[in-house]
Amino acid sequence: MADNLQLNDEGKLKHFLTIEGLDKSLLTEILDTAESFIGMSDQQVKKVPLLRGKTIVNLFFENSTRTRTTFELAAKRLSADVLSISIATSSTSKGESLLDTIRNLEAMFVDMFVVRHAISGAAHFIARHTAPHISVINAGDGQHAHPTQAMLDMFTIRQIKSDFSSLKVAVIGDILHSRVARSEILALNTLGAAEVRVIAPKTLLPAHVETLGVSVYHNLMEGLKDIDVIIMLRLQKERMTSALLPSESEYFKCFGLNEDKLKYAKPDAIVMHPGPINRGVEIDSKVADGPQSVILKQVSNGIATRMAIMAMAMQKPGMTS
Amino acid sequence: MTKILIKQGRIIDPANSIDRFGSIYIADGRIISVTAEPDGFRPDQVIDAIGQIVCPGFIDLSSRLREPGQSRKATIKSETLAAASGGITTLCLQPDTVPVIDTPAVAELIRDLAEKAQYSQVYPIAALTQRLEGAELSSMLALKQAGCIAVGNASQPLRNLLILRRAMEYAASHDLLLMFRPNDYWLGNNGCAHEGAMATRYGLPGLPEAAETIALAQCLELVELTGCRVHFGQLSCQRSVLKIEQAKNEGLPVSADVAIHQLHLTENDMTPFDSVYHVLPPFRSETDKQSLRQGLTSGTINCLCSDHQPHDIDAKLGAFPETEPGISALETLLPLMLKLVDEQALTLQQGIARLSSDPAQILRLNSGALTPGFAADVCVFNPELNWRVNSENWKSQGLNTPYWEQTLKGRVTFTLQGGKGIYCLLNA
């Protein structure tokens, strides 16, 4: 994002809408702040009072279990009051505009919106039009961005691999429709990864994908060579009916990750997936549940990372350890 | 018999190859003489054009005035006043009104409303097919008799090429011009931004050039088959310009226009997710913009249009893909043409021709020129006058322009339509 909608006058995080426009030091600050929260889950009392008295509204215009739950837990562990609304089945189906929905909730004195929406740009739109004291966190907008997912994945990678500058990362699957992919690519490039690759058939790659700063592969085995981190993407079933792919089985054959294909990557490569996974479509169970998989670690890290982002956006910079 | 003298301006009349200082003499709604004073001419009104340019009133080949059907966005009255203030004396109205211009009654209603408003004149474009659905032919002859100047698809894709072929054959039988915006239904695929680096970065559904060029190529083949005259509207990419050039070289009866904003903005100029930049066809690459400019200079693209699409505020309030496309553009047409001249993409004479004599020729109108005997459709403008695009100066009901609160150079001071003053800038 060219404009500094996300940052306040002091250059601090105000909204978290996209990785674009955020520099390495800010991303690193998010990771460091998340680090300070990570030990909390093992404690008897899993709470800090950083956002006590604040009201956070999770506005989910699109279904989600994992993201909504981790945001909710993150808010609760920061001692905020949290309300989750599924709008897919609420007022918008009665014809209320997005802006009217936001205005009505604003009138209830909330401090933060966590927004998921099926249309690209929805979180930006809300951030641009909401009251100035409210922070907006993008929990996924259309095919545009899912920046908290990217940050929790960066956190997971850093936990295991430490240094980004030597890492070669492959993002595999439906890049075209994936907000996760766009945010991961931006985050990896900002943090200085040695190489980011995308591996997919042409039907699942957006036009001029190389302009995102990636090298492009259409062959999984070739693309996996020397790779340290594998990020698999979920394949929606409807891609088959819109003639983007012939069949699930053919996709699995070409781009599905199984134990044999995993051997083409570095022996210590880790396998990630933002979930929910389609076993036997993009990933074989033996890999998803195997020793190189960090999929569940990603989920756990989601809470700490989202706590960090929420706290920072509310100008409460983490815990002093 | 009202006599008007437009005194001592720089007269630019491309159709008559005139570019010199002098006066224009108007009587009874018609131009009677250019530069030479007729014997005993005693004007009832004198318009001082010293330091200004006097040229034919502009003819806009594509606009939406939102009436009938969407008068919350704009009305014929509000928009023809906006047109008049932009030096536009004739407007072609796209048929996607509500209801669609597919019956003489709707066409007559529009003509009546425009006549009552007494600003610019409005020519409805008749829908090519009933309700623009691409299934049954409209009553083209009756619509022509009701004042429609052409038939058109108003950006609606025609999925069935047999219907398009027959519609073109039928239009050709009545010597009707088809005004066609090429847009393939399937390749369009709900795209809202140029399928390029920006759409990829922001996750916006892309609209490939091929959606335009394939529909264009198909229609060109049908021109060959049917002999129908076709004017291709609002082209947006280099490959379309090349195709038109080739068709013209082959002698096909085709012409083309480009929306003025396509010559100034590209995908890179868009503020991300700012719906004011949501237009269809979308802003494309720098290469496309340059090709469109070259096409306009060479005459491959015959004219400029405003592609005026005024909207209410709500239409543009939302996440980018969900907002309605279009720019309110009548009042920026002249300054943006002059900007092309400043940037040496066109000569001033060419720029005026692309807005007057060239569209007149496509529509076969006896206007777009200051020829004695023609209706006095005249625009007087000050090419050096700066003005700010704001609510004080803006006439259109649609405020949806990317130039809002910007200062533009070149402003109309006087517009005559049929010898009647329809706009005068106060304190000019």
PDB file of all heavy atoms in Angstrom, chain B residues 350-368:
ATOM      1  N   GLN B 350      -5.767  19.213 -34.109  1.00  0.00           N
ATOM      2  CA  GLN B 350      -6.172  17.802 -34.059  1.00  0.00           C
ATOM      3  C   GLN B 350      -7.113  17.542 -32.883  1.00  0.00           C
ATOM      4  O   GLN B 350      -8.127  16.867 -33.029  1.00  0.00           O
ATOM      5  CB  GLN B 350      -4.946  16.897 -33.894  1.00  0.00           C
ATOM      6  CG  GLN B 350      -4.174  16.653 -35.181  1.00  0.00           C
ATOM      7  CD  GLN B 350      -2.903  15.843 -34.901  1.00  0.00           C
ATOM      8  OE1 GLN B 350      -2.264  16.009 -33.854  1.00  0.00           O
ATOM      9  NE2 GLN B 350      -2.538  14.983 -35.845  1.00  0.00           N
ATOM     10  N   GLY B 351      -6.744  18.097 -31.745  1.00  0.00           N
ATOM     11  CA  GLY B 351      -7.554  17.882 -30.550  1.00  0.00           C
ATOM     12  C   GLY B 351      -8.980  18.358 -30.748  1.00  0.00           C
ATOM     13  O   GLY B 351      -9.941  17.668 -30.372  1.00  0.00           O
ATOM     14  N   ILE B 352      -9.117  19.522 -31.360  1.00  0.00           N
ATOM     15  CA  ILE B 352     -10.466  20.061 -31.604  1.00  0.00           C
ATOM     16  C   ILE B 352     -11.195  19.211 -32.642  1.00  0.00           C
ATOM     17  O   ILE B 352     -12.380  18.906 -32.484  1.00  0.00           O
ATOM     18  CB  ILE B 352     -10.371  21.542 -32.008  1.00  0.00           C
ATOM     19  CG1 ILE B 352      -9.964  22.371 -30.779  1.00  0.00           C
ATOM     20  CG2 ILE B 352     -11.693  22.048 -32.588  1.00  0.00           C
ATOM     21  CD1 ILE B 352      -9.644  23.822 -31.056  1.00  0.00           C
ATOM     22  N   ALA B 353     -10.472  18.769 -33.661  1.00  0.00           N
ATOM     23  CA  ALA B 353     -11.098  17.915 -34.683  1.00  0.00           C
ATOM     24  C   ALA B 353     -11.622  16.619 -34.072  1.00  0.00           C
ATOM     25  O   ALA B 353     -12.726  16.169 -34.386  1.00  0.00           O
ATOM     26  CB  ALA B 353     -10.088  17.605 -35.788  1.00  0.00           C
ATOM     27  N   ARG B 354     -10.835  16.052 -33.144  1.00  0.00           N
ATOM     28  CA  ARG B 354     -11.242  14.771 -32.546  1.00  0.00           C
ATOM     29  C   ARG B 354     -12.490  14.914 -31.682  1.00  0.00           C
ATOM     30  O   ARG B 354     -13.120  13.932 -31.314  1.00  0.00           O
ATOM     31  CB  ARG B 354     -10.104  14.201 -31.691  1.00  0.00           C
ATOM     32  CG  ARG B 354      -8.786  13.957 -32.419  1.00  0.00           C
ATOM     33  CD  ARG B 354      -8.864  12.805 -33.393  1.00  0.00           C
ATOM     34  NE  ARG B 354      -7.570  12.581 -34.039  1.00  0.00           N
ATOM     35  CZ  ARG B 354      -7.224  13.119 -35.216  1.00  0.00           C
ATOM     36  NH1 ARG B 354      -8.083  13.879 -35.891  1.00  0.00           N
ATOM     37  NH2 ARG B 354      -6.034  12.878 -35.740  1.00  0.00           N
ATOM     38  N   LEU B 355     -12.791  16.156 -31.345  1.00  0.00           N
ATOM     39  CA  LEU B 355     -13.975  16.411 -30.515  1.00  0.00           C
ATOM     40  C   LEU B 355     -15.134  17.000 -31.310  1.00  0.00           C
ATOM     41  O   LEU B 355     -16.219  17.196 -30.764  1.00  0.00           O
ATOM     42  CB  LEU B 355     -13.618  17.380 -29.378  1.00  0.00           C
ATOM     43  CG  LEU B 355     -12.787  16.840 -28.214  1.00  0.00           C
ATOM     44  CD1 LEU B 355     -12.390  17.977 -27.277  1.00  0.00           C
ATOM     45  CD2 LEU B 355     -13.559  15.777 -27.453  1.00  0.00           C
ATOM     46  N   SER B 356     -14.899  17.340 -32.565  1.00  0.00           N
ATOM     47  CA  SER B 356     -15.983  18.022 -33.285  1.00  0.00           C
ATOM     48  C   SER B 356     -16.194  17.461 -34.689  1.00  0.00           C
ATOM     49  O   SER B 356     -17.125  16.685 -34.911  1.00  0.00           O
ATOM     50  CB  SER B 356     -15.703  19.531 -33.329  1.00  0.00           C
ATOM     51  OG  SER B 356     -14.444  19.787 -33.932  1.00  0.00           O
ATOM     52  N   SER B 357     -15.318  17.821 -35.624  1.00  0.00           N
ATOM     53  CA  SER B 357     -15.575  17.400 -37.005  1.00  0.00           C
ATOM     54  C   SER B 357     -15.467  15.880 -37.172  1.00  0.00           C
ATOM     55  O   SER B 357     -16.230  15.287 -37.944  1.00  0.00           O
ATOM     56  CB  SER B 357     -14.599  18.100 -37.955  1.00  0.00           C
ATOM     57  OG  SER B 357     -13.274  17.976 -37.484  1.00  0.00           O
ATOM     58  N   ASP B 358     -14.563  15.243 -36.437  1.00  0.00           N
ATOM     59  CA  ASP B 358     -14.417  13.788 -36.600  1.00  0.00           C
ATOM     60  C   ASP B 358     -15.649  13.016 -36.102  1.00  0.00           C
ATOM     61  O   ASP B 358     -16.164  12.178 -36.838  1.00  0.00           O
ATOM     62  CB  ASP B 358     -13.119  13.303 -35.946  1.00  0.00           C
ATOM     63  CG  ASP B 358     -11.881  13.866 -36.657  1.00  0.00           C
ATOM     64  OD1 ASP B 358     -11.965  14.097 -37.877  1.00  0.00           O
ATOM     65  OD2 ASP B 358     -10.851  14.080 -36.001  1.00  0.00           O
ATOM     66  N   PRO B 359     -16.133  13.310 -34.894  1.00  0.00           N
ATOM     67  CA  PRO B 359     -17.377  12.619 -34.511  1.00  0.00           C
ATOM     68  C   PRO B 359     -18.567  12.992 -35.401  1.00  0.00           C
ATOM     69  O   PRO B 359     -19.422  12.142 -35.663  1.00  0.00           O
ATOM     70  CB  PRO B 359     -17.603  13.049 -33.060  1.00  0.00           C
ATOM     71  CG  PRO B 359     -16.663  14.161 -32.791  1.00  0.00           C
ATOM     72  CD  PRO B 359     -15.538  14.037 -33.749  1.00  0.00           C
ATOM     73  N   ALA B 360     -18.607  14.243 -35.880  1.00  0.00           N
ATOM     74  CA  ALA B 360     -19.726  14.642 -36.755  1.00  0.00           C
ATOM     75  C   ALA B 360     -19.733  13.783 -38.018  1.00  0.00           C
ATOM     76  O   ALA B 360     -20.789  13.374 -38.512  1.00  0.00           O
ATOM     77  CB  ALA B 360     -19.602  16.121 -37.131  1.00  0.00           C
ATOM     78  N   GLN B 361     -18.526  13.522 -38.510  1.00  0.00           N
ATOM     79  CA  GLN B 361     -18.418  12.714 -39.721  1.00  0.00           C
ATOM     80  C   GLN B 361     -18.910  11.284 -39.474  1.00  0.00           C
ATOM     81  O   GLN B 361     -19.614  10.707 -40.303  1.00  0.00           O
ATOM     82  CB  GLN B 361     -16.949  12.703 -40.140  1.00  0.00           C
ATOM     83  CG  GLN B 361     -16.750  12.332 -41.582  1.00  0.00           C
ATOM     84  CD  GLN B 361     -15.254  12.310 -41.920  1.00  0.00           C
ATOM     85  OE1 GLN B 361     -14.398  12.700 -41.121  1.00  0.00           O
ATOM     86  NE2 GLN B 361     -14.950  11.834 -43.111  1.00  0.00           N
ATOM     87  N   ILE B 362     -18.575  10.752 -38.319  1.00  0.00           N
ATOM     88  CA  ILE B 362     -19.028   9.387 -38.001  1.00  0.00           C
ATOM     89  C   ILE B 362     -20.547   9.334 -37.903  1.00  0.00           C
ATOM     90  O   ILE B 362     -21.182   8.405 -38.382  1.00  0.00           O
ATOM     91  CB  ILE B 362     -18.368   8.918 -36.686  1.00  0.00           C
ATOM     92  CG1 ILE B 362     -16.886   8.660 -36.942  1.00  0.00           C
ATOM     93  CG2 ILE B 362     -19.043   7.669 -36.144  1.00  0.00           C
ATOM     94  CD1 ILE B 362     -16.047   8.628 -35.689  1.00  0.00           C
ATOM     95  N   LEU B 363     -21.119  10.367 -37.298  1.00  0.00           N
ATOM     96  CA  LEU B 363     -22.578  10.395 -37.131  1.00  0.00           C
ATOM     97  C   LEU B 363     -23.290  10.960 -38.365  1.00  0.00           C
ATOM     98  O   LEU B 363     -24.512  10.999 -38.404  1.00  0.00           O
ATOM     99  CB  LEU B 363     -22.946  11.234 -35.894  1.00  0.00           C
ATOM    100  CG  LEU B 363     -22.404  10.736 -34.552  1.00  0.00           C
ATOM    101  CD1 LEU B 363     -22.733  11.738 -33.442  1.00  0.00           C
ATOM    102  CD2 LEU B 363     -22.974   9.364 -34.201  1.00  0.00           C
ATOM    103  N   ARG B 364     -22.507  11.410 -39.344  1.00  0.00           N
ATOM    104  CA  ARG B 364     -23.031  12.042 -40.560  1.00  0.00           C
ATOM    105  C   ARG B 364     -23.938  13.230 -40.230  1.00  0.00           C
ATOM    106  O   ARG B 364     -25.043  13.375 -40.754  1.00  0.00           O
ATOM    107  CB  ARG B 364     -23.796  11.024 -41.412  1.00  0.00           C
ATOM    108  CG  ARG B 364     -22.887   9.920 -41.948  1.00  0.00           C
ATOM    109  CD  ARG B 364     -23.670   8.951 -42.776  1.00  0.00           C
ATOM    110  NE  ARG B 364     -22.808   7.943 -43.402  1.00  0.00           N
ATOM    111  CZ  ARG B 364     -23.266   6.869 -44.032  1.00  0.00           C
ATOM    112  NH1 ARG B 364     -24.573   6.670 -44.140  1.00  0.00           N
ATOM    113  NH2 ARG B 364     -22.434   6.002 -44.571  1.00  0.00           N
ATOM    114  N   LEU B 365     -23.440  14.053 -39.341  1.00  0.00           N
ATOM    115  CA  LEU B 365     -24.199  15.240 -38.941  1.00  0.00           C
ATOM    116  C   LEU B 365     -23.637  16.464 -39.665  1.00  0.00           C
ATOM    117  O   LEU B 365     -22.435  16.550 -39.902  1.00  0.00           O
ATOM    118  CB  LEU B 365     -24.061  15.479 -37.433  1.00  0.00           C
ATOM    119  CG  LEU B 365     -24.732  14.493 -36.494  1.00  0.00           C
ATOM    120  CD1 LEU B 365     -24.353  14.817 -35.045  1.00  0.00           C
ATOM    121  CD2 LEU B 365     -26.248  14.517 -36.667  1.00  0.00           C
ATOM    122  N   ASN B 366     -24.530  17.375 -39.999  1.00  0.00           N
ATOM    123  CA  ASN B 366     -24.077  18.660 -40.528  1.00  0.00           C
ATOM    124  C   ASN B 366     -23.743  19.575 -39.361  1.00  0.00           C
ATOM    125  O   ASN B 366     -24.405  20.573 -39.105  1.00  0.00           O
ATOM    126  CB  ASN B 366     -25.173  19.301 -41.381  1.00  0.00           C
ATOM    127  CG  ASN B 366     -25.205  18.682 -42.767  1.00  0.00           C
ATOM    128  OD1 ASN B 366     -24.184  18.193 -43.267  1.00  0.00           O
ATOM    129  ND2 ASN B 366     -26.371  18.669 -43.372  1.00  0.00           N
ATOM    130  N   SER B 367     -22.727  19.178 -38.632  1.00  0.00           N
ATOM    131  CA  SER B 367     -22.270  20.010 -37.516  1.00  0.00           C
ATOM    132  C   SER B 367     -20.821  19.657 -37.245  1.00  0.00           C
ATOM    133  O   SER B 367     -20.187  18.992 -38.060  1.00  0.00           O
ATOM    134  CB  SER B 367     -23.159  19.798 -36.280  1.00  0.00           C
ATOM    135  OG  SER B 367     -22.993  18.500 -35.791  1.00  0.00           O
ATOM    136  N   GLY B 368     -20.317  20.146 -36.144  1.00  0.00           N
ATOM    137  CA  GLY B 368     -18.906  19.898 -35.863  1.00  0.00           C
ATOM    138  C   GLY B 368     -17.999  20.769 -36.709  1.00  0.00           C
ATOM    139  O   GLY B 368     -16.815  20.512 -36.830  1.00  0.00           O
TER     140      GLY B 368
END
